[in-house]
């Protein structure tokens, strides 16, 4: 996994002016690319994979928006979490004012305390040429 070192530029953050590692992402894998790669690896046709991915996304969105957690074998648990401001008392809370947003969380599948997605990661500093 390649990373670069960047300076924290937001003056409101406690780490303002300090440096941190940020992951580098060089390409975006499209559904067509996923379908082709799966087709190359097994007997499913790319069109079959695209159909399943389309239906999977519809099911995921429906359940996540309903507040459900979705567990996918070999991937992990997906859920939506609310980010909100803190208030002094429950009666002070106003969703329109205090909810900042929603984030999708993926908790990678764990087997016997191991999370495959993190295994064998090697870090390499990316340097522009």
């Amino acid at each position: 996994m390649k990373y670069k070192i960047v300076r924290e530029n937001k003056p409101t953050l406690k780490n303002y002016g300090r440096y941190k590692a940020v992951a580098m992402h060089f390409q975006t894998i499209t559904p067509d690319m996923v379908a082709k790669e799966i087709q190359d690896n097994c007997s499913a046709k790319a069109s079959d994979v695209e159909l399943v991915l389309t239906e999977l996304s519809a099911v995921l969105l429906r359940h996540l928006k309903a507040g459900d957690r979705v567990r996918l074998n070999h991937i992990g648990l997906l859920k939506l979490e609310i980010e909100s401001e803190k208030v002094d008392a429950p009666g002070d809370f106003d969703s329109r004012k205090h909810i900042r947003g929603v984030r999708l969380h993926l908790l990678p599948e764990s087997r016997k305390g191991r999370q495959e997605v993190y295994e064998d990661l090697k870090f390499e500093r990316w340097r522009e040429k």
Side-chain angles (χ1 to χ4, degrees):
M1 178 172 216
K2 294 189 189 293
Y3 67 92
K4 66 180 178 179
I5 304 297
V6 298
R7 184 172 188 255
E8 183 58 70
N9 291 322
K10 294 180 185 174
T12 56
L13 295 177
K14 67 178 180 179
N15 288 319
Y16 173 71
R18 299 186 74 195
Y19 293 85
K20 63 182 179 181
V22 176
M24 298 295 298
H25 305 283
F26 297 100
Q27 63 179 330
T28 300
I29 305 302
T30 65
D32 289 342
M33 294 164 76
V34 170
K36 173 78 170 81
E37 192 169 331
I38 291 173
Q39 175 180 274
D40 293 345
N41 292 334
C42 69
S43 61
K45 295 195 181 296
S47 59
D48 298 328
V49 175
E50 289 172 12
L51 173 68
V52 170
L53 290 175
T54 299
E55 291 304 314
L56 176 62
S57 68
V59 170
L60 284 175
L61 290 174
R62 183 172 60 254
H63 284 283
L64 290 170
K65 287 179 179 182
D68 298 331
R69 293 175 298 217
V70 180
R71 183 175 304 282
L72 298 175
N73 289 340
H74 310 289
I75 295 174
L77 181 77
L78 293 102
K79 61 183 180 172
L80 293 178
E81 294 288 350
I82 293 172
E83 289 187 349
S84 73
E85 302 290 331
K86 279 74 172 174
V87 295
D88 293 327
D92 296 340
F93 191 83
D94 178 348
S95 62
R96 293 168 296 182
K97 181 178 175 185
H98 296 110
I99 292 179
R100 292 187 306 234
V102 177
R103 293 206 184 243
L104 174 65
H105 283 248
L106 167 63
L107 303 170
E109 182 174 80
S110 179
R111 292 191 186 147
K112 298 181 182 177
R114 294 177 37 234
Q115 293 175 315
E116 188 176 338
V117 71
Y118 300 124
E119 288 184 4
D120 302 322
L121 272 180
K122 293 181 178 34
F123 299 101
E124 178 184 342
R125 187 166 175 179
W126 181 75
R127 300 185 190 273
E128 291 185 62
K129 296 177 184 175

